Amino acid sequence: MRTIEADPPTDAGIILRRLSQYAEFSPEELAFLIEQAATTEKLSAGAELIVECEPMNRPHVLLSGWGCRYRTLADGRRQIFEFILPGDMYGLCHRPQAIALTNAITLTPCVIADASPLGEAVLERPQDYPGLAAACATTASLDEAYLLNQLMRVGRQTAYERLAHLFLEIAHRLSVVGLADGERLSMPLTQEIIADAMGLSVVHLNRTLQQLRRDKLIEFKNGSARILQPDRLAAIGDFRVPQVTSNECVPRRPFGGGTFSLAD
Amino acid sequence: MRTIEADPPTDAGIILRRLSQYAEFSPEELAFLIEQAATTEKLSAGAELIVECEPMNRPHVLLSGWGCRYRTLADGRRQIFEFILPGDMYGLCHRPQAIALTNAITLTPCVIADASPLGEAVLERPQDYPGLAAACATTASLDEAYLLNQLMRVGRQTAYERLAHLFLEIAHRLSVVGLADGERLSMPLTQEIIADAMGLSVVHLNRTLQQLRRDKLIEFKNGSARILQPDRLAAIGDFRVPQVTSNECVPRRPFGGGTFSLAD
DNA sequence: CGTCTCCTTGATGATTCTCAATGCGCGTGG
DNA sequence: CCACGCGCATTGAGAATCATCAAGGAGACG
């Protein structure tokens, strides 16, 4: 299941690409970040990243592939809480002796990097790494924002609306790390996975996806998706790009719906 | 809507009662904590605590009353993310210049205390206040655990199961601060509020509550509830007491269902 | 060529929502 | 004191959403 790989394979840049969105880094911080991708590990799909109720060990960065955090009920029903996308960190927690609140697994073959030094720097000596600390705090807040979005979708939106919102959110997250252009994005999830994330049955999810395709809103083709009408999707799913740090912020207005460009 | 009150009215002890569950405090930390309840403020029901998309200002502690975090869709559908109970903190964020991801309001008349010094101590000088920092980290993790529980309920449980789980969770949280004994707890929520939290319509919530009463699982009487059969409720809702720091932790087993006593 | 995974479809039923109306307690003002 | 309004709980009826069960098809792969 696990293969240690000493040579940095390709993507150390994805960490930079991601985190440099959220703060300015000193040259030392940059060097420190690049080092994080020194030791990487390849995982096949279905590998355990985090096990619920066990102590959290080292924080990691996902360099490529998709993962998710989830929990199951006693009878096997599964709820996926959030997807872990390339450039995301997982396993970082402020609390000492923290135990995991959820499971996490890989959904596709993945490459991960041990980010223990980064985690330690941010938690133990934030004053020495202000840029890194700020960037990690921002990613943590974004994670919370995605979790809240997820709850909003599952709690108060129809299946159709949920999917519109989900695909825009994923497209946006992927575009931040350069894995989605204006319309096309990679979408390696099976319908069962999407269903477990959206709180739907596979059958109903399948039919709702068909509806989206029939309405010419999204296309799917062997592992990738194409957002055909981002504006209509945004209106349907009431999607807005998450805003976590103070800049402008469009206040919520009924049916106003901030227009959304996948390019940004 | 707001009334400034200089004299500490009654409950400074609730902060201690809550936080001392999670860490040992030095005498200085204790004194520091007690000071937090010096300036309190009374709010009526429906008062805004946090406004989405606006910069977060000072962190607070809720001393009495209930609040919630929520967001609404463009057409008015509301999702309540979590309840804020006596002893809970809100408005604390690691990120500088953070903007609020959700709204928060009071659901009943409330008394709040400004916890800015506490927030500053924990965020800026955690090494000087190790106990406080650890306790706040733990409460933050518990908040995340409650949010995940909420998503689990709404995404994968039936209305009946959701309510069983919710009431046990609230009973447990209240018992931590001494506001619930083994079976009886205060329950000042309207059905509309519970419905918005559980992602249900008011009508269906009403009928599901009746079912719980008919099944002799819970009783409701003018603003308070009585848990009649905690074990059966725990089995129905698949409830387990949240475990956030490393001690023993019952691993998830199909239909094993850790038994649950409200007393602890 | 068989097997496996995943997607798709049809049929049926349960869950849940919406609309609309009624009842009940409580405070307020006449 | 009583009528009234208001917020909240409750009920009935009908419809939409969504789940379940079961089966078939398409593609990948050894």
Side-chain angles (χ1 to χ4, degrees):
Chain A
M1 201 66 106
R2 302 201 164 215
T3 318
I4 301 287
E5 182 108 353
D7 311 324
T10 45
D11 339 51
I14 200 161
I15 305 179
L16 286 174
R17 193 162 200 167
R18 176 79 201 283
L19 291 184
S20 63
Q21 308 261 337
Y22 309 126
E24 300 287 325
F25 298 131
S26 68
E28 294 78 34
E29 288 178 312
L30 278 177
F32 188 85
L33 262 188
I34 290 169
E35 267 177 48
Q36 302 303 308
T39 340
T40 66
E41 198 175 334
K42 286 184 185 173
L43 303 178
S44 58
E48 279 182 346
L49 301 176
I50 299 174
V51 179
E52 187 187 353
C53 288
E54 289 191 0
M56 302 251 256
N57 31 19
R58 303 158 162 273
H60 287 85
V61 175
L62 184 61
L63 295 180
S64 72
W66 289 40
C68 72
R69 298 176 63 198
Y70 73 97
R71 209 188 282 161
T72 54
L73 291 171
D75 63 3
R77 282 173 287 177
R78 176 173 74 164
Q79 176 65 46
I80 290 176
F81 297 122
E82 52 189 16
F83 292 113
I84 305 173
L85 302 187
D88 285 343
M89 296 187 60
Y90 65 88
L92 184 60
C93 185
H94 280 268
R95 216 164 358 108
Q97 302 179 328
I99 68 170
L101 297 175
T102 65
N103 304 290
I105 53 170
T106 59
L107 297 170
T108 70
C110 285
V111 177
I112 63 174
D114 186 329
S116 306
L118 176 57
E120 208 176 308
V122 165
L123 296 184
E124 310 288 338
R125 308 183 298 284
Q127 61 282 1
D128 296 341
Y129 301 90
L132 294 181
C136 286
T138 299
T139 63
S141 290
L142 281 169
D143 279 347
E144 190 190 347
Y146 296 135
L147 199 59
L148 295 168
N149 281 350
Q150 173 80 339
L151 187 42
M152 203 74 206
R153 281 190 290 255
V154 166
R156 280 303 183 208
Q157 291 193 298
T158 66
Y160 195 74
E161 294 167 340
R162 279 179 225 185
L163 291 178
H165 193 283
L166 175 72
F167 287 125
L168 288 182
E169 186 180 282
I170 288 176
H172 175 257
R173 288 177 64 186
L174 288 177
S175 73
V176 166
V177 286
L179 292 176
D181 60 6
E183 50 180 17
R184 175 165 295 254
L185 59 141
S186 113
M187 175 59 53
L189 305 177
T190 67
Q191 295 189 357
E192 187 184 4
I193 293 170
I194 302 176
D196 281 349
M198 303 309 268
L200 298 169
S201 68
V202 189
V203 174
H204 191 60
L205 176 88
N206 178 287
R207 293 189 168 121
T208 310
L209 283 177
Q210 290 178 48
Q211 187 67 43
L212 284 168
R213 285 180 297 210
R214 242 177 286 127
D215 295 344
K216 304 265 182 269
L217 296 168
I218 311 186
E219 269 179 11
F220 297 93
K221 201 178 322 185
N222 52 14
S224 74
R226 196 189 195 96
I227 309 269
L228 299 178
Q229 304 188 44
D231 293 352
R232 280 196 58 204
L233 280 172
I236 291 168
D238 199 4
F239 178 86
R240 290 182 307 156
V241 174
Q243 195 80 30
V244 149
T245 325
S246 61
N247 279 327
E248 85 292 346
C249 175
V250 187
R252 150 99 29 224
R253 281 288 162 263
F255 282 108
T259 54
F260 162 67
S261 161
L262 282 180
D264 184 14
Chain B
M1 198 68 101
R2 304 200 163 215
T3 318
I4 302 285
E5 182 107 350
D7 310 324
T10 46
D11 340 52
I14 199 161
I15 305 180
L16 286 175
R17 193 161 202 167
R18 176 80 201 282
L19 291 185
S20 62
Q21 308 261 339
Y22 309 126
E24 300 288 323
F25 299 131
S26 67
E28 294 78 33
E29 288 178 312
L30 278 177
F32 188 85
L33 263 187
I34 291 168
E35 268 178 46
Q36 302 304 309
T39 338
T40 66
E41 198 174 334
K42 287 184 186 172
L43 303 178
S44 57
E48 279 181 346
L49 301 176
I50 298 175
V51 179
E52 187 189 352
C53 289
E54 289 193 358
M56 303 249 255
N57 31 18
R58 301 155 163 277
H60 287 85
V61 174
L62 184 62
L63 295 180
S64 72
W66 290 38
C68 71
R69 299 177 63 199
Y70 73 95
R71 208 188 281 162
T72 54
L73 291 171
D75 63 2
R77 282 172 287 178
R78 177 173 72 163
Q79 177 65 46
I80 291 177
F81 297 121
E82 53 189 13
F83 293 114
I84 305 172
L85 302 186
D88 286 342
M89 297 187 59
Y90 63 88
L92 183 60
C93 185
H94 280 267
R95 215 162 1 105
Q97 302 180 330
I99 68 170
L101 296 176
T102 66
N103 304 290
I105 54 169
T106 59
L107 297 170
T108 70
C110 286
V111 177
I112 62 174
D114 187 329
S116 308
L118 177 56
E120 207 176 311
V122 165
L123 296 185
E124 311 286 340
R125 307 183 299 283
Q127 60 283 1
D128 297 341
Y129 301 91
L132 295 182
C136 285
T138 299
T139 62
S141 290
L142 281 169
D143 280 346
E144 191 191 348
Y146 297 134
L147 200 58
L148 295 169
N149 282 349
Q150 172 80 339
L151 187 42
M152 202 74 206
R153 283 190 289 256
V154 166
R156 279 305 182 207
Q157 292 193 296
T158 66
Y160 194 73
E161 295 167 340
R162 278 178 226 186
L163 291 178
H165 193 283
L166 175 73
F167 288 125
L168 288 182
E169 185 180 283
I170 288 176
H172 175 257
R173 289 177 63 184
L174 288 177
S175 73
V176 166
V177 287
L179 292 176
D181 60 6
E183 49 179 20
R184 174 164 297 255
L185 59 142
S186 111
M187 176 60 53
L189 305 177
T190 67
Q191 295 190 356
E192 187 183 5
I193 292 169
I194 302 176
D196 281 349
M198 303 308 270
L200 299 168
S201 69
V202 189
V203 173
H204 193 244
L205 176 88
N206 179 289
R207 294 187 167 122
T208 310
L209 282 177
Q210 290 177 48
Q211 188 66 41
L212 284 168
R213 284 181 297 209
R214 244 178 283 128
D215 295 343
K216 306 268 183 260
L217 296 168
I218 311 187
E219 269 179 11
F220 296 92
K221 200 179 321 184
N222 52 13
S224 75
R226 195 189 196 96
I227 308 269
L228 300 179
Q229 304 186 45
D231 293 350
R232 279 196 57 206
L233 280 173
I236 292 167
D238 198 5
F239 178 84
R240 291 182 307 158
V241 173
Q243 193 79 28
V244 147
T245 324
S246 61
N247 278 328
E248 84 295 345
C249 177
V250 186
R252 152 95 34 223
R253 280 290 161 266
F255 281 109
T259 55
F260 162 68
S261 159
L262 281 180
D264 183 13

